[in-house]
Amino acid sequence: MLKKIVLKKFNRIPETMIILGSGINSFVNNLNDSESISYKELFNYDTDASIGHSGLLHLGYINKKSILVLEGRKHYYENVSDFDMRQMIQAFASIGVKNIVVTNACGGMNESFKPGDIMVIEDHINMSGRNPLVGLNNNDLGPRFVDMSEPYDLDFREMIDKVALKENIELQHGIYVSYIGPSYETKAEIRAFRMLGGDAVGMSTVPEVIIARQANMRVLGLSLITNMSTGITKNLLSHEEVLEVGKLSVHKLSKLLIGFLERI
Ligand code: HPA
């Protein structure tokens, strides 16, 4: 069904898909000649409205390049199974999508970061206690044991640095720690994650990257720092703030994404 829908729109399979994180939804306004279909229709997924994701796949063009944009994702805190976590990304990989850009909203643990910054993910630490590849492996989709020595594509990271330079956008670089949520982290947890080498913390992204790497997709990860983490800031954390800062910074992220798509 997915392949049919994508081919009907483009006559070919786009090379790249983008997953939009919380507050970053309005990136879809950059799409030309776009059509949308709900995850409910495609994958029978219900959308958790409290997260602020619409649960739509958009098929459209940016500067004449065909592109698939996913507005919303599954999180382990929604109590999804590993199978459900795998299903969506594997569906795109198996129709021939080659590249995936994962974006997210997250908390900044590195004290040199500030809300509104964008961090290029260089590597991650999976502290969620979950791995989406647990369960029966379909060897047609990729190997049972997946190499994770360079999950975030080096060429893509260089490309995004060049785009940022051209657009005069300051980028941060660092390690993303995944936490299962949905409660935010404690001060002690943030202290521990910082000691482990983490720069930013969030509740998504890592499962998708693991699935994508199993399927040998090339990955770019961009984190929008929407708040400083617990204990780094004295403010209380709230999802409203996360969405608000996301909205304020989406133009910057959009410029980066558009510039990146021009180069790949
Ligand atoms: N922690 C975890 N997830 C988040 C945060 C945070 O501080 N901000 C946005 N998503």
Side-chain angles (χ1 to χ4, degrees):
M1 160 134 147
L2 179 66
K3 190 168 187 178
K4 224 162 108 187
I5 289 167
V6 175
L7 287 178
K8 183 161 168 260
K9 169 73 181 169
F10 300 116
N11 274 321
R12 53 183 289 280
I13 303 292
E15 288 196 340
T16 306
M17 62 189 281
I18 300 178
I19 301 184
L20 300 177
S22 301
I24 310 171
N25 300 352
S26 65
F27 172 77
V28 298
N29 298 335
N30 295 292
L31 289 172
N32 295 313
D33 186 18
S34 72
E35 287 171 26
S36 311
I37 178 164
S38 71
Y39 298 170
K40 177 85 186 158
E41 223 172 307
L42 277 174
F43 302 110
N44 203 22
Y45 282 166
D46 285 316
T47 310
D48 180 344
S50 66
I51 307 171
H53 290 318
S54 70
L56 289 174
L57 166 66
H58 302 271
L59 306 93
Y61 296 87
I62 289 181
N63 294 329
K64 304 216 167 77
K65 208 170 238 181
S66 58
I67 180 99
L68 300 166
V69 180
L70 286 98
E71 193 181 345
R73 53 157 55 96
K74 287 272 145 206
H75 306 83
Y76 272 124
Y77 63 71
E78 295 170 71
N79 200 20
V80 298
S81 67
D82 295 320
F83 176 83
D84 276 347
M85 196 54 110
R86 291 196 291 272
Q87 189 190 20
M88 192 153 71
I89 311 288
Q90 286 185 338
F92 287 97
S94 61
I95 67 168
V97 178
K98 301 271 176 275
N99 310 315
I100 181 167
V101 181
V102 281
T103 68
N104 61 55
C106 68
M109 296 191 285
N110 184 321
E111 281 173 303
S112 69
F113 293 0
K114 54 187 183 311
D117 279 355
I118 292 171
M119 182 186 89
V120 181
I121 306 179
E122 294 192 321
D123 206 344
H124 70 231
I125 302 175
N126 183 1
M127 295 298 284
S128 70
R130 302 285 297 264
N131 190 305
L133 299 181
V134 168
L136 211 57
N137 191 54
N138 178 348
N139 292 324
D140 293 340
L141 298 175
R144 163 85 290 182
F145 300 102
V146 178
D147 176 79
M148 292 296 283
S149 47
E150 202 72 80
Y152 300 88
D153 191 275
L154 267 174
D155 291 339
F156 283 2
R157 277 150 59 193
E158 271 175 32
M159 259 182 236
I160 203 74
D161 282 343
K162 284 188 186 138
V163 175
L165 206 63
K166 180 161 168 266
E167 298 288 349
N168 212 7
I169 295 172
E170 190 199 350
L171 279 184
Q172 306 288 5
H173 299 80
I175 308 300
Y176 178 90
V177 176
S178 72
Y179 180 77
I180 193 164
S183 56
Y184 289 110
E185 304 74 25
T186 63
K187 285 186 290 213
E189 283 164 342
I190 294 298
R191 262 199 311 275
F193 295 164
R194 290 179 72 193
M195 266 191 259
L196 293 176
D199 295 293
V201 61
M203 302 174 194
S204 67
T205 302
V206 164
E208 293 138 19
V209 173
I210 294 172
I211 303 156
R213 288 308 300 143
Q214 187 199 32
N216 212 20
M217 291 171 102
R218 297 174 74 187
V219 178
L220 173 70
L222 296 176
S223 288
L224 176 56
I225 311 291
T226 51
N227 55 278
M228 295 313 287
S229 306
T230 316
I232 310 257
T233 175
K234 289 200 167 39
N235 300 341
L236 298 184
L237 268 48
S238 77
H239 192 52
E240 288 65 39
E241 181 195 6
V242 168
L243 294 180
E244 202 48 46
V245 177
K247 275 185 208 149
L248 291 177
S249 306
V250 74
H251 65 283
K252 209 162 59 167
L253 193 66
S254 297
K255 273 192 191 168
L256 289 170
L257 290 173
I258 291 167
F260 176 75
L261 291 173
E262 271 169 18
R263 278 164 204 255
I264 55 170

